[in-house]
Amino acid sequence: MSIEWHTLDREPSLPGLYARAATRRKITGTQLPDDGLRCWVDVNGQKLAAYRKVCGFADDGLLPPTYPHILAFALQMQLLTAKDFPFPLLGLIHLSNRIRVLRPMGGISRAQVGVRVHNLQPHSKGATFEVLTTLDDQLGPLWEAESQMLCRGVKLDGEPVERSWETSQVLTQVAQWTAPADIGRQYAKVSGDYNPIHLSAASARLFGFPTAIAHGLWNKARTLAALADHLPKANLEIAVHFRKPVRLPSAVSLLASAPGSSGELRLIGAGDLEHMVGQWQPIA
């Protein structure tokens, strides 16, 4: 499929996009748009420092491996609330996320973000698609990611194909932390992601959750911050699958294999409840 790229001269404004998302509740089709959005963005030092603090990253002079998602968030919002996007943004479920750090992300003050969607597939609960996000500097590609999203209630022909996510290596506990009751609001302030399911028990109940749950990408960011000494700084692919949500507040434990170029991880809660599983490896 050929992509028609639209280049914006500035980042979209989030308040208007949230208003658009709030008024769209219906599925309007089963075909993804074949265009993408690009935009140059500036890296704000104060915002980056606030993100590091909320997610637990040390200031090592590099962008955290999850930070390009923050730079791309407004562009993703614009794409997923456009008239030709067929699914309502509110209610989408983030199933998995794969990040590839192609080169060390140091000394970056300005970069180009690109976003598009593809790979619509049947699922036992609806349909999945992927949001593809890229980050480039003047030298070329730096980083890329795929986020698999589920839209419930979509009817597609074909047999659902479920991904297998199992750990096979010996894992030991490397960290523990508490996700406090207000971490959804803290993360929203540094990410722009004010999805109601993360903000309070009252707003989460409107979408069928008994209490607020942590952002999936906060869980991943907090995990990668804890694994900073385990992971290479570049030529790195990190894939995770989100399983049971982290209800707020909750204590969690991170298990991982030994430091190295490849390995596996599990984020678990009380009673060995599995919140997230994943692996890291060199980019093929």
Side-chain angles (χ1 to χ4, degrees):
M1 179 180 68
S2 61
I3 300 298
E4 181 181 356
W5 290 99
H6 304 281
T7 301
L8 308 184
D9 57 6
R10 64 176 64 89
E11 290 183 72
S13 172
L14 282 174
L17 296 175
Y18 270 112
R20 189 189 300 176
T23 59
R24 291 193 59 186
R25 297 297 179 91
K26 294 183 178 180
I27 297 168
T28 59
T30 56
Q31 185 171 348
L32 297 178
D34 57 4
D35 53 354
L37 300 177
R38 285 174 174 159
C39 182
W40 284 91
V41 298
D42 295 315
V43 178
N44 181 293
Q46 289 183 332
K47 292 180 179 180
L48 175 57
Y51 176 85
R52 285 190 176 116
K53 183 177 180 180
V54 169
C55 298
F57 287 104
D59 184 356
D60 60 358
L62 302 174
L63 291 186
T66 47
Y67 194 67
H69 278 297
I70 308 306
L71 298 175
F73 183 71
L75 214 59
Q76 293 170 346
M77 282 282 292
Q78 177 144 329
L79 186 69
L80 298 179
T81 58
K83 290 183 179 180
D84 60 349
F85 184 73
F87 309 138
L89 177 59
L90 293 179
L92 293 180
I93 299 170
H94 196 173
L95 296 182
S96 66
N97 175 263
R98 185 184 307 272
I99 287 171
R100 298 181 184 91
V101 183
L102 307 175
R103 291 187 283 121
M105 296 194 294
I108 301 168
S109 60
R110 187 169 172 79
Q112 186 184 59
V113 174
V115 299
R116 64 184 180 95
V117 291
H118 83 152
N119 196 27
L120 186 64
Q121 297 287 339
H123 186 275
S124 59
K125 297 180 180 179
T128 62
F129 65 94
E130 292 178 354
V131 181
L132 304 185
T133 308
T134 58
L135 189 75
D136 294 50
D137 65 4
Q138 290 83 353
L139 299 178
L142 268 173
W143 176 100
E144 59 190 28
E146 303 163 1
S147 291
Q148 187 188 45
M149 313 298 293
L150 168 66
C151 183
R152 295 178 183 268
V154 180
K155 305 294 185 182
L156 293 180
D157 294 333
E159 291 296 321
V161 178
E162 305 288 338
R163 296 181 181 178
S164 176
W165 293 80
E166 301 296 336
T167 54
S168 59
Q169 299 182 15
V170 176
L171 308 184
T172 58
Q173 182 172 302
V174 297
Q176 289 180 300
W177 61 82
T178 297
D182 68 342
I183 194 61
R185 297 188 293 277
Q186 290 187 50
Y187 186 77
K189 289 179 180 178
V190 300
S191 69
D193 186 352
Y194 284 88
N195 190 320
I197 65 175
H198 305 303
L199 304 182
S200 70
S203 59
R205 281 195 290 268
L206 297 175
F207 293 86
F209 293 90
T211 187
I213 63 174
H215 293 75
L217 283 176
W218 181 79
N219 292 330
K220 184 171 184 177
R222 185 66 184 83
T223 293
L224 298 190
L227 292 176
D229 294 336
H230 280 61
L231 306 175
K233 302 301 183 184
N235 188 34
L236 173 66
E237 177 178 288
I238 315 156
V240 299
H241 178 67
F242 303 113
R243 289 195 164 155
K244 296 295 183 180
V246 175
R247 295 184 179 183
L248 301 178
S250 284
V252 297
S253 298
L254 173 63
L255 284 66
S257 50
S261 60
S262 62
E264 297 178 344
L265 62 91
R266 291 178 72 220
L267 187 68
I268 61 173
D272 205 32
L273 180 67
E274 197 165 60
H275 296 301
M276 185 175 74
V277 296
Q279 61 184 23
W280 70 90
Q281 63 187 17
I283 298 172

